Amino acid sequence: MISEKLLKKLNEQMMNEFYSANLYLQMSAWCNHEGFEGSAKFLRNHAAEEMGHMEKFFDYIQDIDALPIIDAIEKPKSEFKDLKHVFETAYKHEKVVTSRIHELVELSLSEKDFRTFNFLQWYVEEQLEEEKLFKSILDKINMVGLEGRGLFIVDREIGSMKDKEIESIKNREIESIK
Ligand code: OFO
C-alpha cells in the first residue's frame, strides 16, 4: 500500500501538471495577442499535452485504489517582455518539473514502492524530451534575435513543431512495444 506521504506528493504533482497546462494556455493567449500565431498554436497544443500528464497521475492514483484530490491552482504568469521571455519561462518551468519528478522518484525508491517507481519512469523520460524541446526553441530565437523577419520565420517553424514532436513520441511508443 502506498504511504500517505508519497500519495500526497503524487497528488501535488497531479496539480502541478494542471498548473503547467494553465501556464502554457496563458502563454498561448499572450502569443496570439502579440501576433505570434505559430507559438500560440504550439503552446495551446502543449497545454493539452500537460492535461494528459495530469490525467496519467489521476488514473494511476485510482489504479492503486487511492483518491485523487483536486486542489486549488496558482494563477499563472500572464505578462511577458517578449517571445524569448515566454520560452525562457517555459524552459525554466520544465527544469522545475524535472526536479519535482526526480524528488518523487527518490521518495518512491526510498520507500521501496517499486510500482510507483516504475510508473514515474515515463515522466523521467518525458522531462528529458520537454527540456530538449524548449531548449531547442530558445536556441532558435537566440539565433535570429528579436527583430525582423527572422523571428517571423522562427514563429512559423515553432507552429509546425508539434507535429514533429508527436511523430517522435509515436516512434518512442512503437520502439517500446517492439
Ligand atoms: Fe511539461 O511536462 Fe508536465 O509538467
Side-chain angles (χ1 to χ4, degrees):
M1 199 174 144
I2 193 162
S3 73
E4 255 180 57
K5 183 177 175 188
L6 186 51
L7 179 59
K8 187 168 172 276
K9 293 279 175 198
L10 287 182
N11 257 303
E12 278 172 14
Q13 189 52 36
M14 178 179 74
M15 295 314 298
N16 287 334
E17 301 291 346
F18 251 125
Y19 174 80
S20 298
N22 285 353
L23 176 65
Y24 294 133
L25 199 58
Q26 184 66 69
M27 285 175 169
S28 165
W30 185 91
C31 288
N32 198 45
H33 193 252
E34 298 294 320
F36 296 116
E37 287 173 16
S39 302
K41 180 178 163 223
F42 169 85
L43 288 161
R44 183 136 189 194
N45 285 338
H46 208 79
E49 193 176 300
E50 294 295 353
M51 286 303 282
H53 295 179
M54 181 282 294
E55 281 170 3
K56 266 185 190 291
F57 277 103
F58 185 80
D59 289 339
Y60 177 71
I61 293 169
Q62 294 188 95
D63 285 348
I64 56 172
D65 203 20
L67 183 67
I69 302 290
I70 306 298
D71 210 338
I73 312 169
E74 188 194 330
K75 184 177 179 290
K77 184 180 181 60
S78 57
E79 300 280 335
F80 302 95
K81 276 201 305 276
D82 47 43
L83 192 63
K84 182 178 167 182
H85 186 210
V86 170
F87 285 101
E88 268 172 354
T89 306
Y91 182 44
K92 226 186 265 172
H93 175 69
E94 288 302 335
K95 285 180 167 236
V96 172
V97 175
T98 300
S99 70
R100 284 178 177 156
I101 294 291
H102 289 182
E103 277 169 24
L104 269 172
V105 171
E106 204 177 348
L107 181 61
S108 67
L109 203 54
S110 75
E111 295 196 351
K112 294 190 169 41
D113 186 333
F114 300 118
R115 210 162 47 174
T116 302
F117 174 81
N118 193 41
F119 162 73
L120 291 168
Q121 296 314 300
W122 184 88
Y123 288 90
V124 172
E125 200 183 333
E126 176 67 10
Q127 280 313 119
L128 182 64
E129 295 300 321
E130 296 275 85
E131 284 191 29
K132 261 167 60 185
L133 178 69
F134 283 104
K135 172 78 169 49
S136 74
I137 294 175
L138 252 186
D139 286 347
K140 282 185 178 62
I141 295 173
N142 281 332
M143 222 180 291
V144 298
L146 289 169
E147 308 279 321
R149 199 171 150 71
L151 192 60
F152 170 75
I153 293 168
V154 163
D155 177 59
R156 216 173 43 189
E157 207 184 308
I158 295 169
S160 70
M161 276 182 88
K162 197 66 201 174
D163 301 337
K164 288 180 205 146
E165 195 196 344
I166 288 169
E167 204 47 50
S168 99
I169 289 167
K170 272 194 200 140
N171 289 341
R172 265 195 287 146
E173 277 168 5
I174 291 166
E175 282 303 314
S176 72
I177 51 174
K178 265 186 193 166

